[in-house]
């Protein structure tokens, strides 16, 4: 009787005008190759946040998977970042 637990990013989506990246991670528990359970966790990452001077600070994706890094580098163009920054400033509380 061998129990295994694996975690895999099973869905990565780019959504919206500002190219938010949604990542779904599946955790699968198996016993002798037969799946016993599967659970999901989601997170979303944005192109950046504002600092105190309204400068956009890029989101640090260094801890993300190679695939997520590549997607972020491809879709978070300067024009997307500029639009996201303008959106954040316009919607500041």
């Amino acid at each position: 009787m061998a129990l295994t637990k694996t975690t895999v990013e099973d869905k990565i989506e780019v959504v919206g005008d500002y190219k938010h990246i949604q990542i779904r991670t599946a955790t699968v528990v198996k016993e002798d190759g037969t799946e016993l359970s599967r659970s999901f966790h989601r997170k979303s990452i944005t192109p950046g946040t504002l600092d105190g001077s309204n400068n956009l600070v890029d989101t640090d994706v260094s801890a993300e998977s190679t695939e997520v890094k590549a997607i972020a580098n491809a879709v978070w163009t300067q024009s997307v970042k500029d639009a996201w920054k303008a959106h954040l400033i316009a919607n500041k509380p």
Side-chain angles (χ1 to χ4, degrees):
M1 176 169 101
L3 285 176
T4 59
K5 178 179 173 182
T6 57
T7 304
V8 61
E9 289 176 345
D10 69 333
K11 187 180 282 192
I12 302 171
E13 302 171 309
V14 177
V15 296
D17 294 336
Y18 308 111
K19 310 301 184 206
H20 293 197
I21 301 173
Q22 295 181 348
I23 305 157
R24 184 175 83 174
T25 304
T27 302
V28 181
V29 177
K30 293 183 179 182
E31 179 179 2
D32 296 328
T34 302
E35 186 173 314
L36 299 177
S37 71
R38 179 179 295 252
S39 61
F40 300 102
H41 173 76
R42 280 192 178 270
K43 70 177 179 178
S44 179
I45 55 177
T46 64
T49 57
L50 291 179
D51 66 11
S53 301
N54 285 342
N55 297 310
L56 187 69
V57 178
D58 290 343
T59 296
D60 180 8
V61 294
S62 63
E64 301 296 337
S65 68
T66 302
E67 189 173 8
V68 171
K69 288 179 200 174
I71 292 168
N73 287 332
V75 300
W76 289 347
T77 62
Q78 191 59 52
S79 62
V80 168
K81 290 178 186 180
D82 291 343
W84 177 239
K85 176 183 174 181
H87 172 78
L88 291 175
I89 291 170
N91 292 287
K92 277 182 98 167

